[in-house]
Amino acid sequence: MLLDYEVLKFLWWGLVGTLLIGFAITDGMDMGVGTLLPFLGKSDGERRVIINSVAPHWDGNQVWLITAGGAIFAAWPAVYAAAFSGFYLAMLLVLIGLFFRPVGFDYRSKLTDSTWRTAWDWGLFAGGFIPALVFGVAFGNLLQGVPFYLDPFLKPHYEATFIWALLGLLNPFALLAGLISVAMLAMHGGVWLQLRTENVIAVRARRVTGMLAVFVTAAFALAGVWLYFGIDGYRILSQPPFDAVANPLAKEAVRAPLAWFDNYATYPVALIAPAAGLLGPLVTWMLCAARRPGFAFVTSALSMTGIIATAGISMFPFIMPSSTQPSSSLTVWDAPSSHLTLTVMFWSVVIFLPIVLLYTVWAYTRMWGKLTVEDIEARTHEAY
Amino acid sequence: MIDATFVELSRWQFAAVAMYHFIFVPLTLGLIWILVIMESVYVMTGKQIYKDMTKFWGKLFAINFALGVTTGLTMEFQFGTNWSYYSHYVGDVFGAPLAIEGLMAFFLESTFIGLMILGWDKLTKVQHLAVTFLTALGSNLSALWILVANGWMQNPVGSEFSAETMRMEMTDFWAVVFNPVAQVKFIHTVAAGYTCASVFVIGISSWYLLKGRDVAFAKRSFAVAAGFGLAASLSVIVLGDESGYELGDVQKVKLAAIEAEWETQPAPAGFTLFGIPDDAEMKTHMDIKIPWVMGLIATRSLDTPVIGLKDLIAHNETRVRSGMIAYENLSKLRNNERTDEIVAAFEVHKADLGYGLLLKRYVENPADATEAQIAQAARDSIPYVPYLFWSFRIMVVIGFFFLALFGAAFWVLARGRLEQNRWLLRVLFYSIPLPWIAMELGWIVAEYGRQPWAIGEVLPTFLATSALTTADLIFSISGYLIFYSILLAIEMFLMVKFARLGPSALHTGRYHHERNGNGRSGSAPAAQPAE
């Protein structure tokens, strides 16, 4: 095989990260728009403008999430197994939130009744807000370690189940991470609305984007300080060679203070990620104030990239540390699929992702243009 | 030990969300091609009515598609949430087609569906047709990849168990892709979807014809659906699932169970047309057999016997015993007792490990199983026969009924006597629910017929669950039940509303409800739309 197993293991860490960042930039944008919808649209016409700014694209964007899920299944089956069952009720919440989106977009404007439409508007809000919050909470918990362990036959078990497991996830640090997630996606959605709408909606979007951007920077900084002083990381003491078969029980790992800062000490260049997460939102705010939403979209995308990469780099090589039994933790080296599967999946991504990007760009350019209330009303039976 | 209630609930939840998802998928798979046909005619002839047809049936398509996406989300994460041991055990093989489905099919379908629905003013005629075509391609490719994954569950080729990683690992990607079971399933399933969509379009069009509304619009829609449906229903039957049943022991068990074939008959076996299978007694009462047919269908030969269930159970008992040895040696290997003898013994019996795992329902360590438990595990290796026997027969009857129905529709249409054959129009209209019944039963035949396995002969279903509790499951099943019921009610409401409205829903001013003298109750003579 063309690429060594350990190289592929490392590349897959980058590829899963890429899919998650791709999800934040594309689907995060329309989730952010959904979160802002009830607040920025004061009339039915305005809300339709906001909805139609993402209507042709949200479905394609959501595939980033679905593909990230599928890729984690294929490349890190142990993580797919342990994470989604361990976060069971949280995942149920995410799914229920997401249920509102396909139907919300397509059904909302099919009837003129105002109760019907308002109900779907809040449905679209829930479909943006809830998943964004839970994904952030999930990252907050990964950073603290998750209370699970693997039995000798590698089945994941959890310390708490049912509602207790969910309540355990909702701790203060995780909730802060959840708010960062909601705010950064909403900021990104706000920038998008400045790009695609005019007048009053764009003005409101600019104001709220500024506030959200400042919040993201402040909350992200706070989370960093909290992580430094209040939360232990995890460290590997010994493990089989990087190219060994994937066996999560073969290593020895411990919980250790400041371990999440090890990688920045070893590779100071990695500090570029938290720097982007801290400064990016502020630059975004300034660019919005300077009426440059196009550039602001790029910087808000970079901010989110920085924030997500910060979480990933801090934990590397851990993906899902176990607080119950640190040696059961899942890492980049011991959670992946076999060499052949990683190879097959690597080439699938390398071939198909660029094609996806090409036609996605084509789709966005075809549907480009500022949307107005008059425009929607003129096409009232065609638009969402 | 295994908590039977918890396993049952996990299975019920998966069956419910998968079958619910499958209400929407087949219509998507077929209706999108009907849209491609209609729009192609529009692009080639420039006739407005074909554009209106594409847009109107496209509206119904979108209402259905929305719930397909909604329920598909659950499916993508369901393996991890509820079947975590399954996910660990086979993710190395099963995850790959799922991920490729996302990359190759979902992106295509989902990126272009938005343009298809909302891009009429922004795209040229040819661009829009291309967009519709790519949506069709994407949705049908997604069926291919999910059935590659599913085919592997039925007939797990191209992979091998590894004791070191305690999971199945892929050894040959192309064997997984070109798994014959998967390929046959794909053709059968999409053809069923095409039939379903044809019944949907022809049934609703018949209703307009019965009402004498929008006749030109309805007749053209009828014609497209009749042609497409005739070809599709023929394909469902000719290229049916049958040829897959000679592959692998699980498929053999499934075939024998479908036929309630308790004893091995001398070749060529007869086909049981009717009978009342008795699972406890292991025989079929009041059976009516057609000589030879079964042997011909199942083995494509006159001298290969079709193995009966009793013989399969006896055969599987030897495999359970072999699996016990495999398990014993695997346990040693997991305990880092690694000698050449243990490795060699494991390799010899490894193929039967799954049968050994069947004992885990009764005993913690399969190596300690009693004779009674071994016999019980072998008996467990076949599914409950009556479900399969009946599901299959009802499905097949509906399939042949559709072939006859589309044949009749096509014949009457070709002779230009549609309006005179009101009985046919009525039958077509009332047949609308039938394809869903046939397809859900087909799903039961395929997936219930795979039991007791999650992965055929590899991983028993009861071992594949997550480490959750009954409370978790009751909570999530209630959640799905509530949300899915509400969503289905809303979807049906909109679907019926827009189907009744007909092409008037497009607000072009050319159709029934918008023309002078036609109120909502519409008793006026048929309106001829402009072309």
Side-chain angles (χ1 to χ4, degrees):
Chain A
M1 277 171 251
L2 206 58
L3 291 164
D4 289 335
Y5 196 22
E6 70 238 53
V7 174
L8 278 166
K9 284 179 180 177
F10 179 69
L11 286 175
W12 263 103
W13 177 74
L15 286 178
V16 172
T18 304
L19 289 170
L20 290 177
I21 289 165
F23 158 69
I25 294 175
T26 57
D27 204 31
M29 175 268 284
D30 55 64
M31 284 183 170
V33 169
T35 307
L36 296 176
L37 168 69
F39 310 106
L40 297 192
K42 306 283 183 198
S43 65
D44 180 58
E46 288 175 12
R47 288 186 177 182
R48 289 186 75 180
V49 167
I50 294 173
I51 289 169
N52 279 281
S53 76
V54 292
H57 307 301
W58 76 270
D59 197 358
N61 296 345
Q62 182 166 275
V63 179
W64 285 90
L65 172 66
I66 295 171
T67 300
I72 292 173
F73 198 175
W76 294 341
V79 175
Y80 180 85
F84 292 130
S85 58
F87 297 159
Y88 189 69
L89 291 185
M91 268 313 287
L92 186 69
L93 263 179
V94 168
L95 289 173
I96 289 174
L98 291 173
F99 289 166
F100 287 106
R101 282 155 44 89
V103 277
F105 280 110
D106 195 68
Y107 295 176
R108 179 201 183 272
S109 301
K110 286 213 168 2
L111 300 182
T112 47
D113 182 76
S114 68
T115 316
W116 167 272
R117 290 190 172 185
T118 309
W120 286 118
D121 291 340
W122 285 101
L124 288 170
F125 165 79
F129 179 82
I130 295 174
L133 183 73
V134 177
F135 291 147
V137 166
F139 267 92
N141 279 287
L142 290 180
L143 282 160
Q144 298 172 82
V146 182
F148 80 101
Y149 65 93
L150 300 171
D151 69 20
F153 289 90
L154 299 183
K155 180 170 178 165
H157 298 265
Y158 320 98
E159 271 180 35
T161 52
F162 192 45
I163 204 82
W164 318 116
L166 180 66
L167 292 177
L169 295 180
L170 301 175
N171 55 69
F173 179 78
L175 287 171
L176 176 65
L179 288 181
I180 294 172
S181 167
V182 170
M184 78 182 191
L185 298 191
M187 165 186 83
H188 196 54
V191 178
W192 175 257
L193 287 175
Q194 295 169 59
L195 270 170
R196 294 297 305 277
T197 65
E198 289 178 326
N199 305 330
V200 60
I201 304 174
V203 171
R204 287 182 204 137
R206 191 181 311 134
R207 200 177 318 133
V208 75
T209 306
M211 293 191 290
L212 288 163
V214 173
F215 176 82
V216 170
T217 297
F220 185 59
L222 174 64
V225 172
W226 195 333
L227 198 64
Y228 191 87
F229 290 104
I231 290 167
D232 290 349
Y234 292 80
R235 202 172 276 149
I236 290 175
L237 297 180
S238 68
Q239 64 175 345
F242 294 134
D243 61 350
V245 296
N247 178 6
L249 294 178
K251 69 172 169 310
E252 201 184 339
V254 290
R255 197 182 172 118
L258 297 179
W260 286 157
F261 295 84
D262 289 357
N263 288 330
Y264 300 105
T266 321
Y267 306 103
V269 64
L271 285 168
I272 199 167
L278 282 173
L279 300 178
L282 297 179
V283 178
T284 305
W285 174 36
M286 289 188 276
L287 285 166
C288 289
R291 310 284 196 276
R292 304 304 294 267
F295 288 108
F297 192 78
V298 175
T299 57
S300 80
L302 288 174
S303 315
M304 296 194 298
T305 306
I307 290 170
I308 296 169
T310 301
I313 293 169
S314 302
M315 290 194 289
F316 185 90
F318 287 89
I319 302 165
M320 189 169 168
S322 161
S323 56
T324 308
Q325 202 182 80
S327 294
S328 275
S329 299
L330 301 172
T331 75
V332 170
W333 310 116
D334 61 21
S337 295
S338 63
H339 195 175
L340 175 62
T341 300
L342 287 190
T343 308
V344 168
M345 290 314 304
F346 176 78
W347 290 110
S348 303
V349 174
V350 168
I351 293 167
F352 286 108
L353 206 56
I355 300 175
V356 168
L357 288 174
L358 275 179
Y359 61 64
T360 301
V361 169
W362 184 80
Y364 274 90
T365 49
R366 293 316 305 181
M367 301 304 288
W368 198 255
K370 297 264 187 194
L371 292 162
T372 61
V373 177
E374 296 72 42
D375 171 46
I376 297 292
E377 273 160 9
R379 300 184 293 127
T380 188
H381 299 295
E382 308 248 320
Y384 274 163
Chain B
M1 282 306 287
I2 305 297
D3 177 348
T5 312
F6 169 71
V7 173
E8 282 299 303
L9 287 173
S10 299
R11 290 180 60 192
W12 272 104
Q13 177 171 315
F14 193 92
V17 296
M19 290 176 79
Y20 186 84
H21 180 53
F22 205 55
I23 296 174
F24 311 102
V25 172
L27 185 58
T28 297
L29 290 174
L31 193 49
I32 189 67
W33 287 118
I34 293 182
L35 297 180
V36 169
I37 295 169
M38 290 171 172
E39 193 173 353
S40 300
V41 177
Y42 164 61
V43 170
M44 286 185 294
T45 65
K47 286 186 182 171
Q48 179 66 33
I49 193 168
Y50 282 98
K51 184 178 182 185
D52 292 348
M53 281 159 64
T54 314
K55 282 184 133 180
F56 170 68
W57 295 108
K59 247 184 206 300
L60 301 191
F61 175 86
I63 293 171
N64 173 72
F65 188 85
L67 270 199
V69 174
T70 302
T71 55
L73 279 161
T74 309
M75 297 312 298
E76 188 76 19
F77 296 98
Q78 184 83 181
F79 299 99
T81 53
N82 290 81
W83 301 92
S84 72
Y85 200 54
Y86 174 100
S87 303
H88 155 73
Y89 207 85
V90 300
D92 196 82
V93 192
F94 186 85
L98 236 60
I100 297 174
E101 180 187 25
L103 281 166
M104 188 174 173
F106 285 152
F107 266 122
L108 195 62
E109 171 187 38
S110 304
T111 302
F112 288 117
I113 179 86
L115 270 68
M116 184 183 109
I117 296 171
L118 297 164
W120 285 99
D121 305 336
K122 301 261 187 178
L123 302 167
T124 67
K125 270 188 196 179
V126 174
Q127 278 174 345
H128 194 279
L129 175 60
V131 160
T132 310
F133 173 77
L134 290 168
T135 309
L137 187 67
S139 63
N140 280 259
L141 279 174
S142 92
L144 173 68
W145 286 105
I146 198 64
L147 290 169
V148 164
N150 181 270
W152 187 79
M153 294 169 75
Q154 317 281 349
N155 181 32
V157 292
S159 54
E160 200 176 20
F161 180 79
S162 154
E164 274 183 290
T165 55
M166 197 55 217
R167 66 184 182 197
M168 295 296 287
E169 297 195 338
M170 201 190 287
T171 52
D172 183 348
F173 174 66
W174 297 111
V176 174
V177 175
F178 293 110
N179 182 349
V181 174
Q183 299 298 323
V184 171
K185 257 177 171 296
F186 170 65
I187 293 169
H188 182 68
T189 309
V190 294
Y194 301 167
T195 307
C196 170
S198 305
V199 174
F200 179 82
V201 172
I202 211 169
I204 295 173
S205 301
S206 296
W207 188 73
Y208 300 145
L209 290 171
L210 284 168
K211 296 270 168 193
R213 274 173 39 180
D214 299 322
V215 171
F217 182 95
K219 267 189 178 170
R220 284 172 172 81
S221 303
F222 189 106
V224 173
F228 193 61
L230 185 60
S233 54
L234 196 62
S235 314
V236 176
I237 294 167
V238 174
L239 306 167
D241 234 350
E242 306 266 27
S243 48
Y245 288 124
E246 51 193 292
L247 297 148
D249 279 6
V250 172
Q251 298 295 93
K252 276 183 205 155
V253 169
K254 198 187 283 180
L255 175 70
I258 284 168
E259 294 310 328
E261 174 106 327
W262 303 101
E263 317 280 349
T264 306
Q265 297 180 46
F271 175 82
T272 310
L273 191 65
F274 180 83
I276 299 173
D278 182 333
D279 199 72
E281 295 270 317
M282 297 185 80
K283 65 180 180 197
T284 305
H285 305 293
M286 295 165 51
D287 54 336
I288 303 166
K289 282 189 182 263
I290 311 177
W292 287 32
V293 171
M294 165 74 169
L296 285 172
I297 293 174
T299 66
R300 304 266 188 277
S301 82
L302 289 173
D303 50 9
T304 317
V306 177
I307 314 285
L309 289 166
K310 286 182 180 171
D311 287 335
L312 287 166
I313 291 172
H315 172 64
N316 288 346
E317 192 172 313
T318 62
R319 300 196 64 183
V320 172
R321 288 177 200 283
S322 164
M324 290 164 67
I325 304 172
Y327 188 88
E328 194 178 357
N329 287 291
L330 174 65
S331 302
K332 288 179 187 162
L333 290 174
R334 296 297 303 168
N335 273 329
N336 291 321
E337 290 175 46
R338 197 173 189 83
T339 67
D340 289 348
E341 281 150 31
I342 293 173
V343 171
F346 179 68
E347 288 299 320
V348 169
H349 295 280
K350 170 160 111 168
D352 296 322
L353 176 64
Y355 283 91
L357 293 177
L358 282 177
L359 285 163
K360 281 232 167 196
R361 177 177 280 173
Y362 307 108
V363 56
E364 188 59 44
N365 179 2
D368 301 336
T370 63
E371 283 301 310
Q373 287 167 335
I374 293 170
Q376 189 58 45
R379 181 68 175 82
D380 289 348
S381 70
I382 61 163
Y384 183 66
V385 170
Y387 292 164
L388 290 173
F389 183 85
W390 290 113
S391 300
F392 183 78
R393 272 156 189 72
I394 299 170
M395 175 184 81
V396 170
V397 167
I398 295 176
F400 278 102
F401 171 70
F402 282 144
L403 184 61
L405 195 61
F406 280 112
F410 201 78
W411 172 250
V412 171
L413 176 76
R415 295 180 61 213
R417 299 180 58 83
L418 271 187
E419 282 102 326
Q420 288 87 333
N421 285 286
R422 298 182 66 83
W423 61 270
L424 178 66
L425 298 178
R426 250 179 241 122
V427 172
L428 285 165
F429 172 66
Y430 286 110
S431 297
I432 291 177
L434 291 181
W436 278 273
I437 295 173
M439 287 181 303
E440 296 289 359
L441 290 173
W443 187 88
I444 289 172
V445 170
E447 308 309 317
Y448 185 76
R450 175 174 36 85
Q451 301 306 323
W453 305 106
I455 301 293
E457 304 184 276
V458 167
L459 181 67
T461 307
F462 66 85
L463 278 184
T465 57
S466 297
L468 296 167
T469 61
T470 304
D472 283 301
L473 264 292
I474 290 173
F475 192 80
S476 57
I477 289 175
S478 314
Y480 286 121
L481 214 60
I482 292 167
F483 279 90
Y484 276 14
S485 304
I486 295 171
L487 290 174
L488 184 65
I490 293 170
E491 196 253 15
M492 291 294 286
F493 165 74
L494 284 176
M495 193 62 105
V496 171
K497 178 185 161 71
F498 280 88
R500 290 174 69 106
L501 209 51
S504 308
L506 300 174
H507 298 276
T508 57
R510 283 189 291 273
Y511 293 100
H512 182 72
H513 291 303
E514 302 166 304
R515 292 167 67 87
N516 288 341
N518 289 336
R520 280 291 315 225
S521 55
S523 55
Q528 293 296 323
E531 290 185 8

